[in-house]
Amino acid sequence: LTVDIQPIDLPHLVDAVYGLLYQRAIAKGITLTVEMAPDLPPFVLTDGGKVRQILVNLVGNAIKFTSQGGVTLRVTRQAMVNNPEAIGVSAAMGVSTPIAFAVEDTGIGVDPADQERIFEAFEQTQAGTMNPDGTGLGLTITQRFVELLQGRIMLTSAPNIGSTFCVVLPMMATELAPVEMFESNQRVVRLTPGQPPVKVLVADDHEANRLFLVQLLALVGFEAVQATTGAEAIAQWRAEHPDVILMDLQMPEVDGFTATRQIREQELEHHTYTPIIAITASVFPQDRNKALEAGCDQFLSKPCPEQELFQKLADVLGLMYEYETTAPDIATPPPKTLTAEDLGVMPGDWIEALYQAAILCYDTQVNQLIAQIPPEQANLQKILQYHNDNFDMEPIIEATQQYLNP
């Protein structure tokens, strides 16, 4: 596991977690409340994906074990007075104030005898073993992410009264706006009129991927040209003079890395520069770094979220869009519980890859695996998509474990 520090919109991230889980609370007849201190910095530097997963795990767990009353997420600046640990972390990272996330519930609580082992993998309290949902990994993953972010997690609880999990994470306030938001209900419908025409070169050897991007770009008002290999991408770059290139990194003969390097070398001779956005199915940081070293300006993982694609294009070209505002969709629960038998229609190596992605909370990689499910297994696709969209990895982990270790 690695840490990817980026600017994030802190209030927006917390709102996204609330939007993800409040329906789950309503379904149980309890309340979900968010309280944010007025002095919080709007933008901070941290690993937004991991912070989001920490909050989803803690709030989701609180809802699971609360049958009356409610759950409250409080976000505050953590005072460093008489708090040597926080001061030490802050000094090391150059931050002004750590941020505290407290998740309070009025649930069944945790017995003192269980509190010492509650963060251990596959260890569940007596109450946890009575609950049909969960494998005992949520808090272990949460604690690991907190440690990676150089924070700390504390538990205060009493049986039949409730629990409070408090996570303190070092964050640096920043004036840099995030490149992308975690959730948005705004959809790009067209380029703002009055801007110069924008030509995009789409280089991808997979016809379905390439045509999807070309059609999507055309709908918004871009002009798109295509290439199926790295060599063809170089030729089209010379002939068409595109404003930006969407470069698939894995192509036959000349791959995207090589094509990017060759374009950059030739640009030095002609004193020109074309922004290149790398596109790949890989989610590993080393591939991202390799793409940037080759000369790419931005990095997109497949399948490319529509909003993220348009945001990257706006970043490198300074574009403006017109938006259509729509209400966020409420996910429909899956028709049944995911089982090992459901997964049996897929190859064993696919199931192993799904297990590895789920246990590491790599939702992007899970999405890529879901996309490989054949159309005749639409039910399996629907169940997995629901759990992944809700960052609910435990049912996926449990089903894959049952299949791999019957």
Side-chain angles (χ1 to χ4, degrees), residues 4-24:
D4 182 19
I5 301 296
Q6 299 286 343
I8 66 162
D9 182 330
L10 184 59
H12 199 94
L13 183 149
V14 174
D15 284 344
V17 172
Y18 173 81
L20 195 64
L21 298 173
Y22 81 100
Q23 284 288 347
R24 195 181 301 181

Side-chain angles (χ1 to χ4, degrees), residues 241-274:
H241 306 290
D243 298 291
V244 62
I245 302 172
L246 299 179
M247 182 76 77
D248 182 29
L249 296 180
Q250 306 301 327
M251 290 187 288
E253 301 172 12
V254 178
D255 62 20
F257 298 105
T258 304
T260 299
R261 281 192 291 267
Q262 291 188 17
I263 288 173
R264 293 294 182 235
E265 290 170 2
Q266 293 180 41
E267 284 178 331
L268 288 174
E269 300 174 10
H270 301 286
H271 305 289
T272 60
Y273 191 86
T274 306

Side-chain angles (χ1 to χ4, degrees), residues 84-278:
E85 290 184 45
I87 294 172
V89 170
S90 298
M93 294 196 64
V95 298
S96 56
T97 307
I99 305 297
F101 302 87
V103 179
E104 304 175 10
D105 67 61
T106 57
I108 58 177
V110 182
D111 189 274
D114 291 325
Q115 292 184 24
E116 294 182 3
R117 62 187 181 90
I118 197 169
F119 293 104
E120 296 177 13
F122 303 107
E123 289 287 343
Q124 291 184 306
T125 64
Q126 183 177 358
T129 57
M130 295 171 64
N131 191 298
D133 299 321
T135 59
L137 278 172
L139 288 177
T140 307
I141 293 169
T142 299
Q143 185 183 45
R144 180 66 178 130
F145 282 2
V146 170
E147 291 171 351
L148 279 170
L149 297 177
Q150 300 186 38
R152 55 198 180 97
I153 184 168
M154 297 151 283
L155 166 63
T156 305
S157 184
N160 303 316
I161 295 177
S163 303
T164 299
F165 284 87
C166 184
V167 171
V168 180
L169 298 174
M171 295 183 183
M172 181 184 295
T174 178
E175 295 182 358
L176 294 173
V179 172
E180 64 201 54
M181 298 300 185
F182 285 92
E183 298 286 343
S184 175
N185 61 355
Q186 289 190 317
R187 181 171 174 268
V188 173
V189 292
R190 66 183 65 84
L191 285 162
T192 301
Q195 300 177 93
V198 181
K199 183 183 293 187
V200 183
L201 169 58
V202 180
D204 195 319
D205 61 314
H206 291 285
E207 183 178 15
N209 296 342
R210 191 175 64 255
L211 292 180
F212 169 77
L213 288 173
V214 168
Q215 292 169 5
L216 178 63
L217 292 166
L219 284 172
V220 174
F222 292 92
E223 178 187 349
V225 292
Q226 305 176 45
T228 59
T229 67
E232 189 177 342
I234 296 170
Q236 288 283 61
W237 165 74
R238 289 186 190 133
E240 296 288 343
H241 306 290
D243 298 291
V244 62
I245 302 172
L246 299 179
M247 182 76 77
D248 182 29
L249 296 180
Q250 306 301 327
M251 290 187 288
E253 301 172 12
V254 178
D255 62 20
F257 298 105
T258 304
T260 299
R261 281 192 291 267
Q262 291 188 17
I263 288 173
R264 293 294 182 235
E265 290 170 2
Q266 293 180 41
E267 284 178 331
L268 288 174
E269 300 174 10
H270 301 286
H271 305 289
T272 60
Y273 191 86
T274 306
I276 299 177
I277 300 173

